[in-house]
Amino acid sequence: MRTITLLPAIDIKDAKAVRPVRGGVDQSIGESDPLAIAREFIASGATWLHIVDLNAAYENGENTSVIKKLIAECGGVKIQVSGGISSVAGLMRALALQADRINFASDALGDVNWLKEAFARLGDRAAVSLDVCGEQVQARGTGRKFGSLLRYLEELSAAGCARFTVTDVTRDGNLQGPNLELLRTVAQHTDANITASGGIATLADIAALKKIKGVDAVIVGKALYANRFTLGEALAAAV
């Protein structure tokens, strides 16, 4: 059976780790120090971390210094950064972090030509968030609506996007299981790699994702913090 890469998520707001629900913010988690959580994930075997700057995503400040410290002190794992990366300024901020992958926000779809330039510069270090409601792409941070999912899949794939991070926004943070049909649809319309995000609640969900061709990674957040399973169990299910 195929294996997929598992990225435990750390969402940061006002320098503390929090739990997002449908793109909004729930309460702080038990251990609210992002660096302490990162160290716990690494000790449990994580090889990637998904770090989200929620302040930047909601245009309410940023956590650059916190994330920079986290990356500097978490050698040996790869880092994907996300949150508010939808402009040249956001990209410059992300590049300064020297992360292994930059996950562009759905808001970046407002200027596809700029994204094309970013793909040429970053290659497989670039990923684009496709936050989906029904058959439409919308931005979780601003609520801005962009239009047809299939349109953007075709346009961005042709432009050289190497990876899409696909989230059903109605399931994000709700532990209802991933939208497998959505992920199958995306896989049918692009040759780019796909990171599944949103709704992961059980180890069976991870096993189901492994069966979808094109899905080679999964972001897991609330299920870990809600103790639905351990990171070690999730990593074992992913291989």
Side-chain angles (χ1 to χ4, degrees), residues 1-9 171 175-180 183-184 194-225 227-239:
M1 182 177 289
R2 298 171 55 250
T3 65
I4 58 176
T5 300
L6 191 139
L7 294 80
R171 301 194 184 205
L175 299 175
Q176 296 178 346
N179 187 334
L180 300 178
L183 292 163
R184 292 189 188 101
I194 300 166
T195 299
S197 173
I200 311 303
T202 67
L203 297 177
D205 290 336
I206 297 173
L209 292 171
K210 290 166 61 177
K211 298 178 181 179
I212 302 177
K213 185 179 180 180
V215 175
D216 70 347
V218 55
I219 295 170
V220 181
K222 189 170 183 178
L224 292 172
Y225 298 115
N227 298 313
R228 291 296 185 95
F229 45 73
T230 67
L231 178 56
E233 290 170 334
L235 291 167
V239 299

Side-chain angles (χ1 to χ4, degrees), residues 100-205:
D100 297 278
R101 184 181 297 143
I102 294 172
N103 194 64
F104 290 89
S106 288
D107 266 329
L109 297 178
D111 187 349
V112 174
N113 288 330
W114 172 73
L115 271 179
K116 292 177 182 179
E117 295 175 3
F119 298 154
R121 177 175 183 175
L122 296 172
D124 62 7
R125 289 182 62 204
V128 175
S129 289
L130 294 177
D131 300 321
V132 183
C133 184
E135 298 178 352
Q136 304 293 305
V137 178
Q138 67 179 48
R140 278 183 286 176
T142 64
R144 183 179 179 187
K145 300 183 185 302
F146 289 97
S148 167
L149 167 65
L150 297 185
R151 168 201 163 188
Y152 282 107
L153 279 174
E154 179 179 356
E155 187 171 0
L156 295 176
S157 296
C161 182
R163 176 176 298 276
F164 295 108
T165 301
V166 181
T167 306
D168 180 335
V169 297
T170 67
R171 301 194 184 205
D172 189 36
N174 287 326
L175 299 175
Q176 296 178 346
N179 187 334
L180 300 178
E181 190 58 37
L182 168 64
L183 292 163
R184 292 189 188 101
T185 296
V186 172
Q188 290 170 359
H189 289 86
T190 183
D191 292 326
N193 294 317
I194 300 166
T195 299
S197 173
I200 311 303
T202 67
L203 297 177
D205 290 336

Side-chain angles (χ1 to χ4, degrees), residues 15-87:
K16 294 183 179 181
V18 298
R19 292 191 304 205
V21 177
R22 290 189 180 181
V25 176
D26 197 357
Q27 71 271 27
S28 295
I29 61 180
E31 173 54 82
S32 61
D33 178 4
L35 181 55
I37 294 171
R39 287 171 174 159
E40 290 179 8
F41 285 157
I42 294 168
S44 296
T47 58
W48 276 88
L49 298 175
H50 177 69
I51 310 299
V52 184
D53 187 336
L54 286 175
N55 286 93
Y58 285 88
E59 300 180 353
N60 182 28
E62 42 81 18
N63 294 280
T64 302
S65 61
V66 175
I67 297 173
K68 189 172 184 178
K69 180 180 180 181
L70 186 155
I71 292 175
E73 297 191 23
C74 290
V77 298
K78 294 184 177 181
I79 305 290
Q80 174 172 281
V81 293
S82 187
I85 306 171
S86 58
S87 65

